[in-house]
Amino acid sequence: LVKQEFLESLVDVEDLYQNAPCGYFSFLPDGTVIKLNRTLLRWLGYAEEEILNRKKFSDLISKGGIIYYEMFYLALLKMQGYVNEVNYEIRKKDGTTFPALINSSTLKDPSGELLAINATVVDITDRKKYETELLTSARLAEAEKKRFEFVTDLIPQIIWTATADGRIDYLNLRAYKYFNIEKSAISDFDVLQYIHPDDHRKAMSAWAKSLKSTADFQVQVRLKNAAGEYEWHLVRALPYYDDQGNLAKWYGSCTNIHQNILELQRKDEFIQIASHELKTPITSLKAYNQLQMRTESIETMKGFAQKSATTLNNLQFLISSLLDFSKISLGKLSLDVEKTLLSGIANHVAELLAVSYPSHKIISEIPEEDTFVMCDPHRITQVLINLLNNAIKYSPKADKVCLRLKKIAGNCLRIEVEDFGIGIPKEKLERIFDKYYRVIETKDNNRASGLGLGLYIIQNIVTKHGSRIYAESELGKGSLFYFDLPIEPSN
Ligand code: ADP
């Protein structure tokens, strides 16, 4: 059995008091310090005799602290018998200070008279330092976050971040606009609701794959926009791993590739149409050729030769359209501009088409006087042939088309081609100059043949001349195409 005295001798209370990791001191109600431990003495830098009965509590704290001490601290102490965790700046002998937390309690005699106050002092310099560091890094993190948001709001793409389990926790401005959601709704944002149902599986399996292989996430899906329509997007994401190598976050983007996908689809469709359009005249040519070989009659032979010539012209026209189209795509369509007598070109084109299309009368209204413009004569000839071709092609029931040249204000020459055919619906008028665009869908078997490139090429040529081509039309009544070129002095 261990003796009680022995146990007590193990605890040297005086030593604990003197060398505790915190300061202890006692003072009288008027503040005079009557006792303090070695730890506090060391912190303050005083010798014991410089303080005991000489200094008051108020001598050991900063000015702000003194006001607080006199106005609140003492009153509170007297009232409740203790005051805890008060933050004071403690003033050392050398004038410097350190932050401390002071706990104090009162010592009263049996009648309740305040005799003295006992207090502990905890140096919180380190804690303050950590607090400041924490505050600084919080501020830095906030600034960094702002910068990230600023940059992502500048980008025309949708930018997002997600938690490791795939919950979206940040979207940039563009995303809020695209999906038409409020910033406050981000916690409820369910990305699957915005992915086209047919693309759900694709998206999920791409996600699973990148989780398994830690590879970048990349998938093409349709995302629902504010108008409720789906647009194709390329969704990419990179996993971000923390210092321990755990998946912490996903950083991702969605790039709108809708136009590119549509363009590719149109291109595929176009290749199909073009092949068909090229095959038809070749099949005819083969047939004419075989029939020509079989017949003995010179007259019949001549007839087939004539038909072959027309078909060959069509074929040549198709092929040169394709070549022009590729030149435009490559930015290689160039002009050989020279001073040109435009009435000469117009008359020539009118005669040419009159021979090819006996079905329509070509009414040309061309001023008598010679009018010169600066242009590429071959390209403008091509434009006129093309416009007249269309005028005839899209007016199967009419018997005439008009080609007009007229002087207009601003010393310009206006070139007009008018027909009295099927016309173009108002809402489609602005699209007829787009590449591949045809008012009547390819699926319609009654459609006139064509690649949907003619007006696109014409527009490019006219634009290259520094002008613009316009179309006016009324459904069932006919269409008018026109553009202007500045007149050159004739001498
Ligand atoms: P294509 O004639 O080969 O289809 P174009 O680029 O020349 O291609 O014309 C585009 C579309 O514009 C045509 O498919 C047609 O629907 C419409 N279009 C062009 N010219 C006329 C016209 N004179 N009258 C009615 N529609 C026209």
Side-chain angles (χ1 to χ4, degrees):
L1 248 171
V2 186
K3 280 198 177 148
Q4 186 63 25
E5 298 128 64
F6 174 68
L7 279 178
E8 276 170 9
S9 76
L10 285 179
V11 184
D12 184 344
V13 180
E14 179 59 17
D15 183 54
L16 279 184
Y17 174 81
Q18 292 297 352
N19 299 311
C22 64
Y24 287 116
F25 70 114
S26 309
F27 54 98
L28 298 177
D30 73 352
T32 308
V33 178
I34 50 167
K35 194 175 177 204
L36 80 169
N37 72 346
R38 237 174 265 144
T39 308
L40 186 56
L41 262 180
R42 200 177 66 239
W43 287 350
L44 292 170
Y46 285 107
E48 196 171 27
E49 58 277 13
E50 287 177 304
I51 288 201
L52 285 187
N53 300 313
R54 285 172 185 256
K55 297 274 182 211
K56 292 191 169 179
F57 179 40
S58 51
D59 296 329
L60 304 178
I61 54 183
S62 66
K63 274 204 184 104
I66 296 170
I67 295 170
Y68 180 79
Y69 169 73
E70 283 171 357
M71 290 188 67
F72 305 105
Y73 190 77
L74 268 182
L76 208 61
L77 250 182
K78 281 179 186 160
M79 202 174 75
Q80 65 179 21
Y82 66 90
V83 176
N84 283 341
E85 305 257 317
V86 179
N87 195 345
Y88 278 111
E89 280 293 313
I90 304 289
R91 199 137 47 92
K92 301 206 269 191
K93 188 183 172 183
D94 63 10
T96 58
T97 62
F98 67 90
L101 277 187
I102 297 191
N103 286 359
S104 37
S105 57
T106 52
L107 222 90
K108 293 179 180 167
D109 71 4
S111 69
E113 183 73 18
L114 179 60
L115 293 177
I117 294 129
N118 282 332
T120 60
V121 181
V122 178
D123 182 347
I124 55 167
T125 310
D126 284 348
R127 202 165 104 182
K128 279 270 178 204
K129 206 174 90 196
Y130 294 138
E131 268 173 20
T132 322
E133 273 172 12
L134 224 77
L135 209 71
T136 317
S137 44
R139 262 195 219 122
L140 277 178
E142 186 59 28
E144 207 49 53
K145 193 173 150 229
K146 282 229 172 75
R147 204 173 327 185
F148 171 75
E149 291 183 7
F150 183 74
V151 173
T152 58
D153 283 345
L154 269 178
I155 297 174
Q157 273 109 325
I158 289 170
I159 301 289
W160 51 271
T161 65
T163 53
D165 58 354
R167 194 174 47 75
I168 300 289
D169 62 357
Y170 169 79
L171 289 170
N172 68 345
L173 263 187
R174 166 110 197 113
Y176 287 111
K177 280 206 188 114
Y178 184 86
F179 298 119
N180 189 26
I181 52 164
E182 296 291 321
K183 270 199 168 180
S184 52
I186 186 147
S187 52
D188 302 325
F189 185 76
D190 176 9
V191 70
L192 274 185
Q193 272 185 15
Y194 292 87
I195 298 179
H196 193 290
D198 293 352
D199 298 339
H200 278 191
R201 270 185 59 180
K202 188 160 95 170
M204 296 308 275
S205 68
W207 187 268
K209 202 171 121 201
S210 64
L211 274 179
K212 227 185 276 165
S213 63
T214 68
D216 300 355
F217 172 76
Q218 181 159 321
V219 70
Q220 288 185 12
V221 292
R222 280 159 287 182
L223 297 177
K224 189 155 69 179
N225 65 18
E229 289 155 0
Y230 286 98
E231 291 182 274
W232 280 104
H233 281 77
L234 172 68
V235 184
R236 297 194 65 224
L238 282 176
Y240 172 78
Y241 295 94
D242 64 16
D243 295 344
Q244 280 83 47
N246 299 317
L247 176 59
K249 223 172 176 52
W250 290 94
Y251 283 82
S253 66
C254 308
T255 310
N256 193 319
I257 49 165
H258 199 64
Q259 286 311 321
N260 312 38
I261 297 264
L262 289 190
E263 178 94 348
L264 283 178
Q265 282 172 355
R266 263 185 250 134
K267 215 173 206 162
D268 286 348
E269 226 175 76
F270 171 74
I271 289 173
Q272 207 183 351
I273 296 167
S275 327
H276 175 80
E277 291 285 321
L278 289 172
K279 207 177 134 197
T280 314
I282 291 174
T283 314
S284 307
L285 282 175
K286 264 180 146 174
Y288 297 147
N289 188 257
Q290 279 174 3
L291 291 167
Q292 248 175 320
M293 284 197 289
R294 276 193 218 145
T295 184
E296 299 281 305
S297 147
I298 299 286
E299 276 312 302
T300 321
M301 239 185 240
K302 270 191 183 166
F304 286 131
Q306 181 58 46
K307 280 189 174 157
S308 300
T310 314
T311 312
L312 274 171
N313 275 341
N314 289 343
L315 198 57
Q316 191 182 21
F317 175 76
L318 279 178
I319 291 172
S320 46
S321 293
L322 286 173
L323 286 175
D324 283 344
F325 174 58
S326 95
K327 269 190 197 158
I328 292 169
S329 306
L330 297 171
K332 285 190 176 156
L333 184 99
S334 55
L335 302 179
D336 284 325
V337 175
E338 59 188 63
K339 192 167 159 181
T340 309
L341 183 63
L342 209 63
S343 48
I345 290 186
N347 281 321
H348 170 67
V349 168
E351 278 165 29
L352 207 73
L353 289 196
V355 177
S356 311
Y357 296 103
S359 56
H360 289 68
K361 192 168 162 42
I362 300 179
I363 300 172
S364 45
E365 294 170 22
I366 297 164
E368 288 287 306
E369 59 184 302
D370 289 347
T371 318
F372 290 92
V373 294
M374 290 301 286
C375 72
D376 180 331
H378 296 291
R379 288 294 180 192
I380 292 297
T381 305
Q382 179 187 355
V383 168
L384 295 188
I385 292 181
N386 236 317
L387 286 176
L388 280 169
N389 248 329
N390 274 355
I392 293 165
K393 185 162 73 170
Y394 295 109
S395 62
K397 289 186 183 146
D399 59 0
K400 62 170 183 187
V401 292
C402 297
L403 169 62
R404 280 188 287 267
L405 299 191
K406 56 186 183 194
K407 277 189 174 176
I408 57 159
N411 202 29
C412 279
L413 190 66
R414 175 158 295 179
I415 299 100
E416 288 185 356
V417 173
E418 190 179 15
D419 68 67
F420 309 93
I422 60 170
I424 300 157
K426 280 234 149 16
E427 71 278 7
K428 301 198 167 156
L429 206 52
E430 62 183 39
R431 296 198 51 199
I432 56 172
F433 295 103
D434 293 352
K435 60 181 151 188
Y436 316 133
Y437 187 77
R438 310 199 69 206
V439 173
I440 299 168
E441 302 256 322
T442 319
K443 299 187 258 302
D444 189 334
N445 284 330
N446 290 325
R447 78 190 198 281
S449 65
L451 297 175
L453 292 182
L455 287 179
Y456 174 73
I457 295 169
I458 289 174
Q459 187 192 39
N460 267 277
I461 295 173
V462 174
T463 311
K464 273 242 149 74
H465 280 85
S467 184
R468 239 192 100 176
I469 181 153
Y470 298 91
E472 289 170 8
S473 187
E474 202 174 325
L475 202 60
K477 294 236 166 110
S479 313
L480 172 74
F481 289 84
Y482 64 90
F483 63 98
D484 304 336
L485 293 173
I487 294 173
E488 279 289 303
S490 49
N491 50 8

